[in-house]
Amino acid sequence: MKLLRLGMALLLLFSLTGCWSKLELDELTFIFGMYIDAGPEPGTVELSISTPLPNRLASGTQPGTAQGKSYSTVTKTAHSITDAIILIQKDLSRRLEISHIKAIVIGKEYAANGIHELLEWCKRQPEIPMGSYIMAAPGKAKEIAGLSAIFEQLPSQVLRNFSELNLTYATTVRDCLLAESNNMGYAMNHLSFGVNKDEKEQGEPVKWAGVQGVMLFNGTKMTGTLNSDESRALSWAAGDLSGHVTLPMYTVMWNEQESKGKASALFYSDTVSRKVRITADGPVFHIRLKGKASITLFDDNNTDEAVDHSNLIRRKLEERITSEVKEALEHTREAGADVLQLGMLLEWNHPREWKKLKERWSDYYADRAEIIVTTDIRIVDFGASK
């Protein structure tokens, strides 16, 4: 009996062995932001990474203090993303860790040439978070890496907030991979970038970034862009506005020649339904947008009561939203990018019809697809009135 107890105790001791492959945090460099541009030579890629500097991220330290920036940016050019990362690693005293990437930004030229290599690299890297946001720069992606993180500690945090809080797309690596594997189009935030010379940060002009719309992709190549109004409309039609922290707002006008009549509506509920039916001329897609709004501004010289103009305001809102959605869809057709992935809707509901169109779907969507858009707006309240 004593030998049995001794044997069991020894077995328990074997389970207390230490970790043989541990890495301490102070041995790692975490990549939070990745910026990818076309290299100066054909077939090359210019990769920039943004990493936090732990010794400058101490509690209570604010960005822009005498300690300097709280992050570092390193850039290398090579024939592949992997080779560029290896070159960056050679210049660092810590091991690179890619499992904490928050945002990936691609340059305009790189997007036009195609992001196939980036998507393939992401497929084969199990450490890459599939929820990392991906967006496009108006020029060089590495310029975005230098934006002034006034309200945050790191540029990657600013970029992540753009996707989480703004009224446009919140495209992730997963979204791009799924769309590409199904031969569908997709869209991602198209950033803006500028320099405010009148405001200084650490003695340098402040560099601001924002979102000016979305960039459209067919396959792996950029094929067009949309402005902010069209992007918002397309996002609603795609069902991506629901859950945004920032609520959509529209302003409509009437008697414009006399500068009379204006109302603003804040939408706190927005939904979309997409259906497809088969006709003798092919599939017809129906997109119906529904929303509930609160009137936050009403201005008309003829009356002080917004309620008296409720039907007019509702009709104007429906006309504007429908028009913007149609215009956005027309631009996606010109770009050959089925961003709403109506092809998948057709496949789910009518697989036989999809089989006939699958191989030429991109051309069919651009030239022949019939899309009917309707909008149903309900004004719930008119705010306080005198």
Side-chain angles (χ1 to χ4, degrees), residues 110-158:
Y110 184 81
N113 293 337
I115 64 173
H116 175 76
E117 182 190 349
L118 171 62
L119 296 183
E120 286 296 315
W121 182 74
C122 290
K123 288 179 187 177
R124 289 165 171 75
Q125 299 294 325
E127 303 94 342
I128 291 286
M130 290 292 101
S132 298
Y133 293 111
I134 183 168
M135 54 205 75
K140 299 281 285 185
K142 71 176 182 180
E143 291 180 344
I144 304 296
L147 69 87
S148 303
I150 303 297
F151 297 101
E152 308 292 345
Q153 288 185 313
L154 305 171
S156 56
Q157 291 175 312
V158 178

mmCIF file of all heavy atoms in Angstrom, residues 110-158:
data_model
loop_
_atom_site.group_PDB
_atom_site.id
_atom_site.type_symbol
_atom_site.label_atom_id
_atom_site.label_comp_id
_atom_site.label_asym_id
_atom_site.label_seq_id
_atom_site.Cartn_x
_atom_site.Cartn_y
_atom_site.Cartn_z
ATOM 1 N N TYR A 110 -0.281 49.467 -54.663
ATOM 2 C CA TYR A 110 -0.277 48.038 -54.331
ATOM 3 C C TYR A 110 -1.672 47.446 -54.542
ATOM 4 O O TYR A 110 -1.812 46.331 -55.058
ATOM 5 C CB TYR A 110 0.160 47.848 -52.876
ATOM 6 C CG TYR A 110 0.297 46.403 -52.451
ATOM 7 C CD1 TYR A 110 1.437 45.670 -52.756
ATOM 8 C CD2 TYR A 110 -0.721 45.765 -51.744
ATOM 9 C CE1 TYR A 110 1.567 44.344 -52.369
ATOM 10 C CE2 TYR A 110 -0.608 44.446 -51.350
ATOM 11 C CZ TYR A 110 0.541 43.737 -51.664
ATOM 12 O OH TYR A 110 0.655 42.425 -51.293
ATOM 13 N N ALA A 111 -2.718 48.193 -54.172
ATOM 14 C CA ALA A 111 -4.091 47.724 -54.352
ATOM 15 C C ALA A 111 -4.432 47.581 -55.830
ATOM 16 O O ALA A 111 -5.115 46.633 -56.234
ATOM 17 C CB ALA A 111 -5.064 48.683 -53.671
ATOM 18 N N ALA A 112 -3.952 48.528 -56.645
ATOM 19 C CA ALA A 112 -4.224 48.465 -58.082
ATOM 20 C C ALA A 112 -3.522 47.271 -58.731
ATOM 21 O O ALA A 112 -4.057 46.659 -59.672
ATOM 22 C CB ALA A 112 -3.793 49.765 -58.756
ATOM 23 N N ASN A 113 -2.338 46.936 -58.232
ATOM 24 C CA ASN A 113 -1.602 45.785 -58.774
ATOM 25 C C ASN A 113 -2.198 44.455 -58.313
ATOM 26 O O ASN A 113 -2.013 43.431 -58.968
ATOM 27 C CB ASN A 113 -0.133 45.852 -58.363
ATOM 28 C CG ASN A 113 0.586 47.021 -58.996
ATOM 29 O OD1 ASN A 113 0.164 47.537 -60.034
ATOM 30 N ND2 ASN A 113 1.672 47.458 -58.378
ATOM 31 N N GLY A 114 -2.894 44.477 -57.167
ATOM 32 C CA GLY A 114 -3.501 43.262 -56.644
ATOM 33 C C GLY A 114 -2.924 42.884 -55.293
ATOM 34 O O GLY A 114 -1.707 42.972 -55.087
ATOM 35 N N ILE A 115 -3.789 42.450 -54.394
ATOM 36 C CA ILE A 115 -3.365 42.099 -53.031
ATOM 37 C C ILE A 115 -3.326 40.580 -52.841
ATOM 38 O O ILE A 115 -3.444 40.090 -51.717
ATOM 39 C CB ILE A 115 -4.280 42.763 -51.982
ATOM 40 C CG1 ILE A 115 -5.715 42.239 -52.099
ATOM 41 C CG2 ILE A 115 -4.256 44.274 -52.122
ATOM 42 C CD1 ILE A 115 -6.628 42.726 -50.980
ATOM 43 N N HIS A 116 -3.155 39.857 -53.937
ATOM 44 C CA HIS A 116 -3.157 38.391 -53.877
ATOM 45 C C HIS A 116 -2.097 37.866 -52.906
ATOM 46 O O HIS A 116 -2.370 36.976 -52.085
ATOM 47 C CB HIS A 116 -2.920 37.810 -55.269
ATOM 48 C CG HIS A 116 -2.787 36.314 -55.282
ATOM 49 N ND1 HIS A 116 -3.866 35.474 -55.153
ATOM 50 C CD2 HIS A 116 -1.686 35.510 -55.385
ATOM 51 C CE1 HIS A 116 -3.455 34.222 -55.189
ATOM 52 N NE2 HIS A 116 -2.145 34.215 -55.322
ATOM 53 N N GLU A 117 -0.886 38.424 -52.986
ATOM 54 C CA GLU A 117 0.187 37.935 -52.113
ATOM 55 C C GLU A 117 -0.148 38.153 -50.643
ATOM 56 O O GLU A 117 0.090 37.279 -49.800
ATOM 57 C CB GLU A 117 1.512 38.620 -52.438
ATOM 58 C CG GLU A 117 2.662 38.107 -51.572
ATOM 59 C CD GLU A 117 3.931 38.938 -51.698
ATOM 60 O OE1 GLU A 117 3.996 39.789 -52.607
ATOM 61 O OE2 GLU A 117 4.838 38.739 -50.877
ATOM 62 N N LEU A 118 -0.724 39.307 -50.322
ATOM 63 C CA LEU A 118 -1.096 39.591 -48.931
ATOM 64 C C LEU A 118 -2.113 38.579 -48.419
ATOM 65 O O LEU A 118 -1.970 38.049 -47.312
ATOM 66 C CB LEU A 118 -1.661 41.009 -48.826
ATOM 67 C CG LEU A 118 -2.301 41.381 -47.485
ATOM 68 C CD1 LEU A 118 -1.282 41.306 -46.359
ATOM 69 C CD2 LEU A 118 -2.930 42.773 -47.560
ATOM 70 N N LEU A 119 -3.149 38.301 -49.224
ATOM 71 C CA LEU A 119 -4.174 37.355 -48.793
ATOM 72 C C LEU A 119 -3.601 35.946 -48.657
ATOM 73 O O LEU A 119 -3.948 35.222 -47.721
ATOM 74 C CB LEU A 119 -5.344 37.365 -49.779
ATOM 75 C CG LEU A 119 -6.126 38.692 -49.885
ATOM 76 C CD1 LEU A 119 -7.300 38.537 -50.833
ATOM 77 C CD2 LEU A 119 -6.596 39.172 -48.524
ATOM 78 N N GLU A 120 -2.719 35.563 -49.571
ATOM 79 C CA GLU A 120 -2.098 34.240 -49.474
ATOM 80 C C GLU A 120 -1.220 34.145 -48.228
ATOM 81 O O GLU A 120 -1.188 33.114 -47.551
ATOM 82 C CB GLU A 120 -1.260 33.963 -50.733
ATOM 83 C CG GLU A 120 -2.081 33.648 -51.969
ATOM 84 C CD GLU A 120 -2.879 32.366 -51.808
ATOM 85 O OE1 GLU A 120 -2.314 31.365 -51.331
ATOM 86 O OE2 GLU A 120 -4.076 32.374 -52.156
ATOM 87 N N TRP A 121 -0.514 35.215 -47.928
ATOM 88 C CA TRP A 121 0.335 35.239 -46.735
ATOM 89 C C TRP A 121 -0.516 35.100 -45.475
ATOM 90 O O TRP A 121 -0.161 34.372 -44.549
ATOM 91 C CB TRP A 121 1.141 36.532 -46.703
ATOM 92 C CG TRP A 121 2.072 36.637 -45.539
ATOM 93 C CD1 TRP A 121 3.249 35.989 -45.347
ATOM 94 C CD2 TRP A 121 1.878 37.457 -44.370
ATOM 95 N NE1 TRP A 121 3.812 36.343 -44.142
ATOM 96 C CE2 TRP A 121 2.997 37.246 -43.521
ATOM 97 C CE3 TRP A 121 0.891 38.348 -43.977
ATOM 98 C CZ2 TRP A 121 3.135 37.899 -42.302
ATOM 99 C CZ3 TRP A 121 1.034 38.995 -42.760
ATOM 100 C CH2 TRP A 121 2.145 38.765 -41.939
ATOM 101 N N CYS A 122 -1.663 35.802 -45.444
ATOM 102 C CA CYS A 122 -2.552 35.722 -44.288
ATOM 103 C C CYS A 122 -3.126 34.320 -44.129
ATOM 104 O O CYS A 122 -3.311 33.837 -43.004
ATOM 105 C CB CYS A 122 -3.685 36.739 -44.419
ATOM 106 S SG CYS A 122 -3.184 38.468 -44.248
ATOM 107 N N LYS A 123 -3.413 33.637 -45.241
ATOM 108 C CA LYS A 123 -3.951 32.280 -45.176
ATOM 109 C C LYS A 123 -2.985 31.328 -44.487
ATOM 110 O O LYS A 123 -3.398 30.419 -43.771
ATOM 111 C CB LYS A 123 -4.228 31.742 -46.582
ATOM 112 C CG LYS A 123 -5.409 32.338 -47.294
ATOM 113 C CD LYS A 123 -5.525 31.705 -48.679
ATOM 114 C CE LYS A 123 -6.599 32.375 -49.507
ATOM 115 N NZ LYS A 123 -6.671 31.807 -50.878
ATOM 116 N N ARG A 124 -1.699 31.544 -44.712
ATOM 117 C CA ARG A 124 -0.689 30.594 -44.261
ATOM 118 C C ARG A 124 -0.015 30.995 -42.960
ATOM 119 O O ARG A 124 0.981 30.399 -42.566
ATOM 120 C CB ARG A 124 0.347 30.390 -45.364
ATOM 121 C CG ARG A 124 -0.214 29.602 -46.534
ATOM 122 C CD ARG A 124 0.653 29.693 -47.790
ATOM 123 N NE ARG A 124 0.185 28.754 -48.788
ATOM 124 C CZ ARG A 124 -0.916 28.913 -49.530
ATOM 125 N NH1 ARG A 124 -1.659 29.988 -49.366
ATOM 126 N NH2 ARG A 124 -1.277 28.003 -50.425
ATOM 127 N N GLN A 125 -0.539 32.013 -42.314
ATOM 128 C CA GLN A 125 0.006 32.450 -41.039
ATOM 129 C C GLN A 125 -1.043 32.244 -39.952
ATOM 130 O O GLN A 125 -1.925 33.080 -39.758
ATOM 131 C CB GLN A 125 0.424 33.932 -41.094
ATOM 132 C CG GLN A 125 1.483 34.254 -42.112
ATOM 133 C CD GLN A 125 2.806 33.606 -41.778
ATOM 134 O OE1 GLN A 125 3.180 33.472 -40.620
ATOM 135 N NE2 GLN A 125 3.528 33.185 -42.803
ATOM 136 N N PRO A 126 -0.987 31.130 -39.234
ATOM 137 C CA PRO A 126 -2.017 30.878 -38.215
ATOM 138 C C PRO A 126 -2.038 31.915 -37.104
ATOM 139 O O PRO A 126 -3.035 32.039 -36.390
ATOM 140 C CB PRO A 126 -1.634 29.485 -37.674
ATOM 141 C CG PRO A 126 -0.177 29.324 -37.995
ATOM 142 C CD PRO A 126 0.030 30.062 -39.286
ATOM 143 N N GLU A 127 -0.940 32.676 -36.954
ATOM 144 C CA GLU A 127 -0.899 33.667 -35.880
ATOM 145 C C GLU A 127 -1.670 34.935 -36.233
ATOM 146 O O GLU A 127 -2.019 35.723 -35.343
ATOM 147 C CB GLU A 127 0.553 34.051 -35.564
ATOM 148 C CG GLU A 127 1.440 32.864 -35.189
ATOM 149 C CD GLU A 127 2.173 32.314 -36.406
ATOM 150 O OE1 GLU A 127 1.729 32.611 -37.546
ATOM 151 O OE2 GLU A 127 3.164 31.589 -36.227
ATOM 152 N N ILE A 128 -1.916 35.177 -37.527
ATOM 153 C CA ILE A 128 -2.589 36.406 -37.933
ATOM 154 C C ILE A 128 -4.036 36.407 -37.437
ATOM 155 O O ILE A 128 -4.797 35.488 -37.735
ATOM 156 C CB ILE A 128 -2.586 36.553 -39.468
ATOM 157 C CG1 ILE A 128 -1.171 36.810 -39.975
ATOM 158 C CG2 ILE A 128 -3.500 37.686 -39.913
ATOM 159 C CD1 ILE A 128 -0.663 38.183 -39.700
ATOM 160 N N PRO A 129 -4.456 37.421 -36.687
ATOM 161 C CA PRO A 129 -5.864 37.497 -36.267
ATOM 162 C C PRO A 129 -6.760 37.752 -37.480
ATOM 163 O O PRO A 129 -6.567 38.741 -38.194
ATOM 164 C CB PRO A 129 -5.884 38.688 -35.307
ATOM 165 C CG PRO A 129 -4.451 38.949 -34.945
ATOM 166 C CD PRO A 129 -3.651 38.522 -36.128
ATOM 167 N N MET A 130 -7.706 36.864 -37.734
ATOM 168 C CA MET A 130 -8.605 37.030 -38.870
ATOM 169 C C MET A 130 -9.499 38.256 -38.709
ATOM 170 O O MET A 130 -10.077 38.751 -39.666
ATOM 171 C CB MET A 130 -9.469 35.776 -39.044
ATOM 172 C CG MET A 130 -8.708 34.555 -39.530
ATOM 173 S SD MET A 130 -8.100 34.715 -41.246
ATOM 174 C CE MET A 130 -6.377 35.124 -40.955
ATOM 175 N N GLY A 131 -9.596 38.765 -37.477
ATOM 176 C CA GLY A 131 -10.405 39.946 -37.229
ATOM 177 C C GLY A 131 -9.648 41.256 -37.376
ATOM 178 O O GLY A 131 -10.193 42.322 -37.088
ATOM 179 N N SER A 132 -8.405 41.195 -37.840
ATOM 180 C CA SER A 132 -7.632 42.426 -38.060
ATOM 181 C C SER A 132 -8.294 43.249 -39.155
ATOM 182 O O SER A 132 -8.663 42.720 -40.206
ATOM 183 C CB SER A 132 -6.199 42.091 -38.462
ATOM 184 O OG SER A 132 -5.527 41.377 -37.459
ATOM 185 N N TYR A 133 -8.437 44.553 -38.916
ATOM 186 C CA TYR A 133 -9.071 45.414 -39.911
ATOM 187 C C TYR A 133 -8.097 45.717 -41.045
ATOM 188 O O TYR A 133 -6.896 45.906 -40.824
ATOM 189 C CB TYR A 133 -9.540 46.717 -39.268
ATOM 190 C CG TYR A 133 -10.666 46.516 -38.277
ATOM 191 C CD1 TYR A 133 -10.459 46.702 -36.916
ATOM 192 C CD2 TYR A 133 -11.928 46.122 -38.710
ATOM 193 C CE1 TYR A 133 -11.495 46.502 -36.008
ATOM 194 C CE2 TYR A 133 -12.957 45.924 -37.800
ATOM 195 C CZ TYR A 133 -12.733 46.113 -36.460
ATOM 196 O OH TYR A 133 -13.754 45.908 -35.564
ATOM 197 N N ILE A 134 -8.643 45.781 -42.263
ATOM 198 C CA ILE A 134 -7.828 46.090 -43.426
ATOM 199 C C ILE A 134 -8.448 47.279 -44.139
ATOM 200 O O ILE A 134 -9.671 47.374 -44.267
ATOM 201 C CB ILE A 134 -7.706 44.859 -44.358
ATOM 202 C CG1 ILE A 134 -6.771 45.172 -45.539
ATOM 203 C CG2 ILE A 134 -9.061 44.370 -44.836
ATOM 204 C CD1 ILE A 134 -6.388 43.932 -46.332
ATOM 205 N N MET A 135 -7.619 48.225 -44.562
ATOM 206 C CA MET A 135 -8.093 49.453 -45.202
ATOM 207 C C MET A 135 -7.068 49.932 -46.214
ATOM 208 O O MET A 135 -5.944 49.421 -46.267
ATOM 209 C CB MET A 135 -8.365 50.522 -44.150
ATOM 210 C CG MET A 135 -7.202 50.813 -43.237
ATOM 211 S SD MET A 135 -7.715 51.503 -41.626
ATOM 212 C CE MET A 135 -8.372 50.039 -40.813
ATOM 213 N N ALA A 136 -7.454 50.909 -47.030
ATOM 214 C CA ALA A 136 -6.606 51.366 -48.130
ATOM 215 C C ALA A 136 -6.230 52.832 -47.953
ATOM 216 O O ALA A 136 -7.038 53.646 -47.491
ATOM 217 C CB ALA A 136 -7.310 51.163 -49.465
ATOM 218 N N ALA A 137 -5.006 53.163 -48.335
ATOM 219 C CA ALA A 137 -4.505 54.534 -48.249
ATOM 220 C C ALA A 137 -4.737 55.252 -49.581
ATOM 221 O O ALA A 137 -4.790 54.619 -50.632
ATOM 222 C CB ALA A 137 -3.020 54.530 -47.901
ATOM 223 N N PRO A 138 -4.831 56.586 -49.557
ATOM 224 C CA PRO A 138 -5.006 57.333 -50.807
ATOM 225 C C PRO A 138 -3.724 57.402 -51.624
ATOM 226 O O PRO A 138 -3.755 57.702 -52.814
ATOM 227 C CB PRO A 138 -5.429 58.720 -50.321
ATOM 228 C CG PRO A 138 -4.814 58.838 -48.958
ATOM 229 C CD PRO A 138 -4.858 57.461 -48.378
ATOM 230 N N GLY A 139 -2.593 57.142 -50.991
ATOM 231 C CA GLY A 139 -1.294 57.144 -51.665
ATOM 232 C C GLY A 139 -0.442 56.024 -51.107
ATOM 233 O O GLY A 139 -0.774 54.853 -51.215
ATOM 234 N N LYS A 140 0.668 56.385 -50.470
ATOM 235 C CA LYS A 140 1.546 55.394 -49.849
ATOM 236 C C LYS A 140 1.007 55.010 -48.473
ATOM 237 O O LYS A 140 0.655 55.859 -47.661
ATOM 238 C CB LYS A 140 2.959 55.970 -49.702
ATOM 239 C CG LYS A 140 3.618 56.359 -51.009
ATOM 240 C CD LYS A 140 4.170 55.150 -51.736
ATOM 241 C CE LYS A 140 5.437 54.643 -51.106
ATOM 242 N NZ LYS A 140 6.057 53.542 -51.864
ATOM 243 N N ALA A 141 0.982 53.716 -48.224
ATOM 244 C CA ALA A 141 0.472 53.240 -46.931
ATOM 245 C C ALA A 141 1.374 53.666 -45.781
ATOM 246 O O ALA A 141 0.895 53.963 -44.682
ATOM 247 C CB ALA A 141 0.340 51.720 -46.963
ATOM 248 N N LYS A 142 2.686 53.704 -46.020
ATOM 249 C CA LYS A 142 3.604 54.022 -44.928
ATOM 250 C C LYS A 142 3.448 55.463 -44.446
ATOM 251 O O LYS A 142 3.871 55.794 -43.344
ATOM 252 C CB LYS A 142 5.041 53.740 -45.333
ATOM 253 C CG LYS A 142 5.643 54.680 -46.352
ATOM 254 C CD LYS A 142 7.112 54.339 -46.576
ATOM 255 C CE LYS A 142 7.772 55.299 -47.549
ATOM 256 N NZ LYS A 142 9.191 54.959 -47.772
ATOM 257 N N GLU A 143 2.819 56.343 -45.270
ATOM 258 C CA GLU A 143 2.537 57.697 -44.800
ATOM 259 C C GLU A 143 1.523 57.662 -43.654
ATOM 260 O O GLU A 143 1.613 58.461 -42.719
ATOM 261 C CB GLU A 143 2.000 58.550 -45.947
ATOM 262 C CG GLU A 143 3.016 58.860 -47.033
ATOM 263 C CD GLU A 143 2.431 59.704 -48.143
ATOM 264 O OE1 GLU A 143 1.195 59.791 -48.227
ATOM 265 O OE2 GLU A 143 3.210 60.265 -48.932
ATOM 266 N N ILE A 144 0.562 56.743 -43.748
ATOM 267 C CA ILE A 144 -0.456 56.608 -42.709
ATOM 268 C C ILE A 144 0.191 56.211 -41.380
ATOM 269 O O ILE A 144 -0.296 56.565 -40.302
ATOM 270 C CB ILE A 144 -1.520 55.581 -43.117
ATOM 271 C CG1 ILE A 144 -2.134 55.956 -44.472
ATOM 272 C CG2 ILE A 144 -2.605 55.465 -42.057
ATOM 273 C CD1 ILE A 144 -2.894 57.243 -44.475
ATOM 274 N N ALA A 145 1.285 55.457 -41.461
ATOM 275 C CA ALA A 145 1.970 55.015 -40.240
ATOM 276 C C ALA A 145 2.497 56.197 -39.430
ATOM 277 O O ALA A 145 2.745 56.063 -38.225
ATOM 278 C CB ALA A 145 3.115 54.073 -40.590
ATOM 279 N N GLY A 146 2.653 57.345 -40.071
ATOM 280 C CA GLY A 146 3.182 58.516 -39.382
ATOM 281 C C GLY A 146 2.131 59.471 -38.878
ATOM 282 O O GLY A 146 2.471 60.595 -38.451
ATOM 283 N N LEU A 147 0.844 59.058 -38.895
ATOM 284 C CA LEU A 147 -0.192 59.968 -38.423
ATOM 285 C C LEU A 147 -0.004 60.293 -36.940
ATOM 286 O O LEU A 147 0.521 59.487 -36.174
ATOM 287 C CB LEU A 147 -1.583 59.384 -38.676
ATOM 288 C CG LEU A 147 -2.053 58.155 -37.890
ATOM 289 C CD1 LEU A 147 -2.700 58.545 -36.564
ATOM 290 C CD2 LEU A 147 -3.039 57.339 -38.700
ATOM 291 N N SER A 148 -0.437 61.466 -36.561
ATOM 292 C CA SER A 148 -0.296 61.903 -35.167
ATOM 293 C C SER A 148 -1.429 61.330 -34.328
ATOM 294 O O SER A 148 -2.591 61.679 -34.518
ATOM 295 C CB SER A 148 -0.322 63.433 -35.092
ATOM 296 O OG SER A 148 0.702 63.987 -35.910
ATOM 297 N N ALA A 149 -1.079 60.432 -33.418
ATOM 298 C CA ALA A 149 -2.094 59.788 -32.569
ATOM 299 C C ALA A 149 -2.423 60.699 -31.390
ATOM 300 O O ALA A 149 -2.019 60.456 -30.254
ATOM 301 C CB ALA A 149 -1.592 58.427 -32.102
ATOM 302 N N ILE A 150 -3.151 61.774 -31.666
ATOM 303 C CA ILE A 150 -3.427 62.787 -30.642
ATOM 304 C C ILE A 150 -4.271 62.216 -29.503
ATOM 305 O O ILE A 150 -3.979 62.420 -28.322
ATOM 306 C CB ILE A 150 -4.148 64.004 -31.262
ATOM 307 C CG1 ILE A 150 -3.315 64.582 -32.403
ATOM 308 C CG2 ILE A 150 -4.413 65.055 -30.185
ATOM 309 C CD1 ILE A 150 -1.990 65.119 -31.988
ATOM 310 N N PHE A 151 -5.325 61.486 -29.843
ATOM 311 C CA PHE A 151 -6.255 60.990 -28.828
ATOM 312 C C PHE A 151 -5.915 59.571 -28.368
ATOM 313 O O PHE A 151 -6.541 59.059 -27.439
ATOM 314 C CB PHE A 151 -7.688 61.014 -29.375
ATOM 315 C CG PHE A 151 -8.176 62.397 -29.697
ATOM 316 C CD1 PHE A 151 -8.203 62.859 -30.994
ATOM 317 C CD2 PHE A 151 -8.597 63.243 -28.685
ATOM 318 C CE1 PHE A 151 -8.648 64.134 -31.291
ATOM 319 C CE2 PHE A 151 -9.043 64.517 -28.972
ATOM 320 C CZ PHE A 151 -9.062 64.967 -30.277
ATOM 321 N N GLU A 152 -4.973 58.924 -29.028
ATOM 322 C CA GLU A 152 -4.589 57.563 -28.670
ATOM 323 C C GLU A 152 -3.071 57.512 -28.496
ATOM 324 O O GLU A 152 -2.372 58.484 -28.770
ATOM 325 C CB GLU A 152 -5.025 56.566 -29.759
ATOM 326 C CG GLU A 152 -6.479 56.659 -30.164
ATOM 327 C CD GLU A 152 -7.434 56.218 -29.076
ATOM 328 O OE1 GLU A 152 -6.983 55.583 -28.110
ATOM 329 O OE2 GLU A 152 -8.643 56.526 -29.187
ATOM 330 N N GLN A 153 -2.580 56.368 -28.065
ATOM 331 C CA GLN A 153 -1.143 56.218 -27.906
ATOM 332 C C GLN A 153 -0.462 55.734 -29.175
ATOM 333 O O GLN A 153 0.714 56.028 -29.400
ATOM 334 C CB GLN A 153 -0.845 55.241 -26.765
ATOM 335 C CG GLN A 153 -1.138 55.796 -25.375
ATOM 336 C CD GLN A 153 -0.720 54.860 -24.272
ATOM 337 O OE1 GLN A 153 -1.000 53.673 -24.317
ATOM 338 N NE2 GLN A 153 -0.022 55.383 -23.280
ATOM 339 N N LEU A 154 -1.205 54.986 -30.019
ATOM 340 C CA LEU A 154 -0.603 54.384 -31.202
ATOM 341 C C LEU A 154 -1.447 54.667 -32.438
ATOM 342 O O LEU A 154 -2.684 54.711 -32.356
ATOM 343 C CB LEU A 154 -0.472 52.868 -31.024
ATOM 344 C CG LEU A 154 0.273 52.379 -29.781
ATOM 345 C CD1 LEU A 154 0.116 50.873 -29.631
ATOM 346 C CD2 LEU A 154 1.747 52.750 -29.874
ATOM 347 N N PRO A 155 -0.829 54.835 -33.612
ATOM 348 C CA PRO A 155 -1.594 55.028 -34.852
ATOM 349 C C PRO A 155 -2.534 53.869 -35.146
ATOM 350 O O PRO A 155 -3.631 54.071 -35.663
ATOM 351 C CB PRO A 155 -0.491 55.134 -35.919
ATOM 352 C CG PRO A 155 0.715 55.606 -35.186
ATOM 353 C CD PRO A 155 0.631 54.974 -33.834
ATOM 354 N N SER A 156 -2.120 52.647 -34.821
ATOM 355 C CA SER A 156 -2.963 51.484 -35.096
ATOM 356 C C SER A 156 -4.269 51.547 -34.311
ATOM 357 O O SER A 156 -5.308 51.059 -34.777
ATOM 358 C CB SER A 156 -2.211 50.191 -34.751
ATOM 359 O OG SER A 156 -1.775 50.203 -33.403
ATOM 360 N N GLN A 157 -4.252 52.161 -33.124
ATOM 361 C CA GLN A 157 -5.482 52.323 -32.347
ATOM 362 C C GLN A 157 -6.440 53.290 -33.036
ATOM 363 O O GLN A 157 -7.651 53.092 -33.032
ATOM 364 C CB GLN A 157 -5.158 52.812 -30.937
ATOM 365 C CG GLN A 157 -4.438 51.775 -30.067
ATOM 366 C CD GLN A 157 -4.034 52.341 -28.711
ATOM 367 O OE1 GLN A 157 -3.469 53.428 -28.638
ATOM 368 N NE2 GLN A 157 -4.324 51.614 -27.651
ATOM 369 N N VAL A 158 -5.885 54.350 -33.630
ATOM 370 C CA VAL A 158 -6.702 55.308 -34.371
ATOM 371 C C VAL A 158 -7.371 54.618 -35.558
ATOM 372 O O VAL A 158 -8.573 54.760 -35.794
ATOM 373 C CB VAL A 158 -5.834 56.488 -34.864
ATOM 374 C CG1 VAL A 158 -6.686 57.459 -35.677
ATOM 375 C CG2 VAL A 158 -5.192 57.207 -33.687
#
